[in-house]
Every structure is written in structure tokens, then in C-alpha cells.
Amino acid sequence: MQKNRPPLTICAFYMAQQGRRMVFSRCAQWLHLLVFSTVLWGCGGGSSSTNNTANSSIADASSSSISYSSSSVLSVVSSSLSSQPVSTQSISSLSSVQSTSSAMLSSTSSSHISSRAESSSSVSEKEFEPVSLQSQINRVQPMTGIVFWSDNTSALSALGQDVQLEFSYMLYRDVVTRIGTYSWAAVDQKLAQAAARGHQMIFRFRDTYPGITQSSIPDGLPYHISKVEGQNTFIPDWSSTGLREFILDFFTRFAARYDNDPRLAFVQVGFGSYAEYHLYDGQPELGKNFPDKSFQANFLNHMAEVFSQTPWSISIDATSSDYSPFQATPALKNLRFGLFDDSFMHKEHSENDSEYNRASWLFFGANRYHTNPAGGEFSYYSTYDQRNVLSTNGPYGKTFEDFAHQYNVTYMIGNDQYAYQSKARIRQAAMATGYAFRLTLLESNGNRVRLRIRNEGIAPLYYDAYPSVNNQRATQSLKGLLPSNSLDMEIHPGTHNPLDIQIKIDSDRLVTGQVIQFNANL
């Protein structure tokens, strides 16, 4: 007598008969057999005759050809059920099992498709690959270098792009001869002439110049003629409320007109001789021949307020407690202004930290160059100084490059240097100032570009500049990137050939002919 086989045994028996011929496509058929044999087992109450009939039917099905389909299984089940009473509950169970089975298959299929879709999406984004690039800085960079006066046209013409900055003193009365009447023609002319040469301007407005007795301020404002450096000199009367109000109004209007003008690089301001915070050989009388400290503090705060783009600077001589308010009000040093040193590289300069020039730089903070430029003018203490400041070993055993690095110099006025040095040496010295960018990483995936830029110069760039790929600018600016620091960025130029991409550095603060270059060896 054949023993009753439970449903799982029936399935095992069937699969054993198939042996090595079993293939993946028949898994669905086995699943139906398992489901239906379970139902038959429950319907027949485990009787011998029912199980024998079912086993016989399954055996017949197992001997069918490979074209076996789920319909023949349903036929076998139908035949077996026809000889046995089947309760409504049993039929409901069968429907429930079939529905569950279908739902499981549907869920599995959906999950599989979803997984494939996610996999396809991730694969569609290509991997970033390195891009080769060669580039070299071979000219003086904008807003840096050795500066020549704007009226030294012979040197400017000969030096061409080895000069990027021009300098000019300006008088207040060049713009305003009568209070309330402004004409910017003189300023515009200077800017236009410099831009036509591919250069930018540095202006310094001054009120006093030793030996000059002509007025520097509008008509109607009071003044003195006094001895300065042994010479009769024009000096405004700073007790005048009208003069003080005029100075503030002047820079309000100047900033409103030129703060965003790419022809203007930097502004220098101050009081006294050469706007350098002193009246050598003259006795300072604050509030009379020199502004009092209260007005100076007001003026400095005003400059910080009206100039949001153009860096402005004062002389290192503003450390003097006899003239300026900084020692009495140290918080003024927190304002963002640069420094200029107009006796740069004289014989004793920086021989120790207590030396006058060195101590003056340190008074304002060694890191001031982080946000505003360090500049000045080569020493005129002697003809020897001027003749040798750019000599190979420097005038006193220390080269210009060493001094420039020590003070993170962006520019230096050297108006006489073309008379003493070659064009090549002036270019070499100029290229040792300011910023210098290097591209150290460049990758593309055909849609996006990643890059890393390092500043290998000695000072930051003080205006916004943006790397671009195929004319698509980065969102991050290189402004303020400190020496030896790097900036990572990603640019999205869209679909492109990684072997044919154009990298450049854009800035809205350049004039025609100027280019911010970068080094690269990738």
C-alpha cells in the first residue's frame, strides 16, 4: 500500500524526475504544482484514494514534453476536484493562494525593474577623468607690478604690457573750483588714457605738496602759506567747517561715480605733505594746518562706508601719535584699508622690527594684506637708492623680491626705473608681486568639470575673478585667495568634449587687453 505523500514530497518527487534537465523557465510551473498540491491535500482530508489520484495525475504531468504549460496543470487539478466534494472555503482558499502568488510575483518583478532603473541612472553619470592642460603666466598680471606715473609716456610706451598700473596725484580743485560745482573731466581723461594703454589707474588726492603755493582746494575756502621742508607751501585751514564738509562730500561723489569703474585699480588718501600724514619741518597744529583727530576718525569711517569695491589705502606714516588718531583709537585699525610706504627699501629699512618703516607696517598688522593691498614707492632718500633698488643683489644686500615677499607687495611705484633697468628686469620684478594662480587639478565627466586653483603668488587678488569653462563661470570667486591656499570648485558647462574645453579666468574689473593668466602642467 502506497504511503500518503505530503505536498512537498510530491514536488520533490517531480523535480527529482527532471534531474539535470530542469531549467529556470519551469520554476513557475513548479510553483503552481506546489500551490495546487497543497490545496488538494487540504481538500481530500488526506484520504488514500484522493492522494493516489493526485499522484497519478502529477506523474502523468511529469512525463509530458518541455512545452508543458500552466493550463495542463489546471486541467489535472480540475479532474481531481471533480471526483471530490469541494467546500466553498476550499475554493476560497485556492483563489486566495492564487492571488497571493500573483501579488508576490508582481511585487518581485516591480522591485527588479525599479532596481534596474536606479542602476541605469547611476551608470548614466560618467566617472570624472583627468584632463591634460598646459598653461603659463608669461606677462605681468593686472593690478600688480612696477607702477609708472601717467605722464611718463615715453616709459609707458616702451614698456607696454610690462606695466599694468599707472599713478597720478590729483588735486581737489581739478574737479571742483567752486563749492557745489563738480567737473570730472580731468579724472575721466586720466582713466581713459590709461585704459587705452591697457592699464589701470591709482589716484592719490592731496592737499599739500612742499614748495607749491598754488591752491589745491575750491575757491573761497581758507588756507595758509607756511614753511614746509624749508619751502613756502600751500596748506588748507582745517578749522573751516566748510572745508571738512567738502572733503567728505567729495569722496561720497567720487565713490558713487568710480567705485565700480574697471579703469580704477586703487585709491590712496591722506593729509599733509604728499597726503602722507606729516608736515616735515613744520609744526603741526591739529585743527588748523592739519585735521584734528576727531575729523580724521570721521573721514576714515566715511571712506570705509562709501567704497565697497575699490580698495583704498593710507600711508604707513599714519602711525604717528602727533598727527593721526590710530594710537588713541585703536579700533580704527579694524577698518579695511591698505598701506603704502613711500620710502621703500632705503638703507635702514627693516633692518630690525624697531626700525621706523618696519615698526609702522607692524603697527597696522602683519596680515592687513589679506584684505587690502600693500604698496608704496621706491626710496628717494638718495640717487643710489633709485639706481639700485632693482639691481641683482639689491641696493644693500637684500633684493626687491625679498622685500616684496616680506611685505606681500601688490604694487610699487618705480617711475625712474626705466632709466636704470632693462625692460626684462622690470618685467621680472613686476611678476614677483601680487597674485599668481596655478591650476593643480582638472577633471571632467563630459557634463561637469572639477578644478582646483592655488595662489602661488605673494598676495591675494583684491577683486572678483571667476574661472570659467567654455564661457560658463564658476560661482566661487578667487578674490581674497591667500598665498599657498587652494580653492576647489565645480563648473557645469553642459555636454562637452573633455579633450576640447576652454579654461580661462574672467573678471569684470579688467580693461581691454588685460588677461588674468594661470600656470598649469597637467
Side-chain angles (χ1 to χ4, degrees):
M1 179 176 174
Q2 187 177 4
K3 294 182 179 180
N4 294 339
R5 289 195 181 103
L8 292 179
T9 305
I10 297 172
C11 286
F13 170 76
Y14 172 75
M15 288 187 287
Q17 284 189 322
Q18 296 301 310
R20 296 182 181 273
R21 292 177 299 163
M22 182 175 62
V23 292
F24 179 78
S25 63
R26 305 191 63 173
C27 288
Q29 299 166 350
W30 298 337
L31 179 59
H32 280 87
L33 287 175
L34 174 60
V35 171
F36 298 143
S37 60
T38 302
V39 173
L40 290 175
W41 183 262
C43 292
S47 68
S48 176
S49 60
T50 301
N51 288 323
N52 286 343
T53 303
N55 290 343
S56 175
S57 299
I58 294 172
D60 291 341
S62 68
S63 63
S64 63
S65 68
I66 196 70
S67 60
Y68 177 85
S69 67
S70 59
S71 61
S72 52
V73 175
L74 290 173
S75 176
V76 172
V77 173
S78 176
S79 173
S80 298
L81 289 176
S82 64
S83 60
Q84 297 292 333
V86 182
S87 67
T88 303
Q89 181 179 1
S90 297
I91 295 174
S92 297
S93 298
L94 175 59
S95 299
S96 175
V97 171
Q98 287 178 312
S99 298
T100 302
S101 174
S102 298
M104 291 175 62
L105 287 170
S106 176
S107 174
T108 303
S109 176
S110 175
S111 175
H112 180 60
I113 292 172
S114 174
S115 176
R116 289 188 62 184
E118 291 174 3
S119 176
S120 176
S121 175
S122 63
V123 170
S124 66
E125 183 76 353
K126 294 181 181 178
E127 296 292 329
F128 280 89
E129 295 183 357
V131 176
S132 298
L133 181 67
Q134 297 292 318
S135 181
Q136 184 179 15
I137 298 174
N138 58 15
R139 57 186 287 183
V140 181
Q141 295 301 279
M143 295 165 281
T144 71
I146 307 301
V147 185
F148 286 75
W149 284 39
S150 63
D151 60 0
N152 190 351
T153 55
S154 59
L156 290 171
S157 177
L159 291 168
Q161 296 309 307
D162 290 332
V163 175
Q164 292 290 305
L165 292 169
E166 301 180 18
F167 171 85
S168 180
Y169 279 113
M170 296 297 292
L171 307 180
Y172 295 105
R173 72 175 291 111
D174 288 338
V175 177
V176 184
T177 55
R178 290 189 307 165
I179 293 292
T181 303
Y182 283 73
S183 173
W184 299 101
V187 177
D188 290 336
Q189 183 180 32
K190 292 279 189 182
L191 292 170
Q193 289 172 343
R197 290 186 281 262
H199 304 160
Q200 294 161 302
M201 284 300 304
I202 301 174
F203 284 132
R204 185 189 302 183
F205 286 90
R206 57 95 176 160
D207 55 72
T208 300
Y209 198 103
I212 294 180
T213 58
Q214 288 82 8
S215 174
S216 61
I217 58 178
D219 294 338
L221 293 175
Y223 62 92
H224 309 282
I225 300 294
S226 302
K227 291 287 186 180
V228 177
E229 297 185 21
Q231 306 174 77
N232 288 334
T233 302
F234 175 92
I235 301 176
D237 183 353
W238 291 98
S239 67
S240 168
T241 300
L243 174 61
R244 297 193 301 270
E245 290 176 348
F246 163 72
I247 294 297
L248 297 178
D249 182 64
F250 179 90
F251 283 105
T252 298
R253 297 186 186 221
F254 182 90
R257 184 177 179 91
Y258 297 111
D259 192 29
N260 291 295
D261 195 322
R263 300 172 300 175
L264 178 65
F266 308 118
V267 174
Q268 298 178 343
V269 296
F271 306 105
S273 297
Y274 320 105
E276 291 178 8
Y277 280 86
H278 58 72
L279 291 170
Y280 292 150
D281 299 333
Q283 182 62 37
E285 296 181 73
L286 300 187
K288 293 185 178 181
N289 65 0
F290 205 90
D292 63 37
K293 293 180 181 180
S294 175
F295 173 74
Q296 290 185 56
N298 188 17
F299 172 80
L300 293 167
N301 280 294
H302 185 69
M303 292 293 291
E305 179 182 340
V306 298
F307 284 99
S308 62
Q309 299 297 322
T310 306
W312 56 280
S313 301
I314 63 173
S315 171
I316 63 168
D317 294 315
T319 56
S320 171
S321 60
D322 292 335
Y323 290 93
S324 85
F326 287 102
Q327 297 209 32
T329 313
L332 289 171
K333 292 192 290 184
N334 296 330
L335 297 174
R336 292 183 60 170
F337 56 84
L339 297 172
F340 59 88
D341 177 351
D342 280 358
S343 56
F344 202 68
M345 292 180 65
H346 67 77
K347 186 175 182 178
E348 290 82 24
H349 197 295
S350 300
E351 58 186 12
N352 55 59
D353 284 351
S354 61
E355 183 274 324
Y356 174 80
N357 295 71
R358 177 64 176 163
S360 298
W361 281 96
L362 293 176
F363 172 81
F364 286 108
N367 292 330
R368 181 163 293 275
Y369 77 94
H370 285 191
T371 56
N372 281 271
E377 185 174 31
F378 289 128
S379 168
Y380 275 95
Y381 282 4
S382 70
T383 302
Y384 177 86
D385 289 353
Q386 280 291 310
R387 188 183 297 273
N388 291 282
V389 286
L390 293 184
S391 63
T392 304
N393 297 316
Y396 304 104
K398 186 175 179 179
T399 67
F400 168 69
E401 283 81 353
D402 289 336
F403 271 100
H405 187 271
Q406 181 177 9
Y407 290 98
N408 305 98
V409 166
T410 287
Y411 67 89
M412 190 60 56
I413 300 172
N415 191 57
D416 293 346
Q417 290 311 299
Y418 189 60
Y420 303 123
Q421 301 293 337
S422 68
K423 180 178 179 179
R425 175 56 185 143
I426 292 172
R427 181 196 310 119
Q428 181 185 41
M431 292 179 67
T433 66
Y435 60 90
F437 296 123
R438 176 175 289 277
L439 193 63
T440 60
L441 179 143
L442 181 62
E443 298 177 329
S444 170
N445 71 350
N447 186 54
R448 294 179 289 148
V449 174
R450 290 175 178 168
L451 49 84
R452 177 177 299 131
I453 292 185
R454 183 175 76 243
N455 183 359
E456 56 186 12
I458 62 171
L461 172 61
Y462 298 102
Y463 288 102
D464 282 321
Y466 303 90
S468 70
V469 178
N470 296 347
N471 295 318
Q472 177 64 48
R473 285 186 177 186
T475 57
Q476 296 163 279
S477 173
L478 296 174
K479 177 181 177 180
L481 182 62
L482 295 176
S484 301
N485 284 16
S486 295
L487 184 64
D488 290 338
M489 57 187 68
E490 186 173 287
I491 303 174
H492 299 180
T495 304
H496 61 273
N497 179 0
L499 300 180
D500 186 24
I501 57 177
Q502 182 185 46
I503 309 291
K504 60 181 180 177
I505 298 177
D506 296 331
S507 177
D508 297 328
R509 201 69 190 214
L510 304 182
V511 299
T512 301
Q514 289 186 313
V515 179
I516 297 178
Q517 298 177 307
F518 59 89
N519 292 317
N521 183 22
L522 299 172

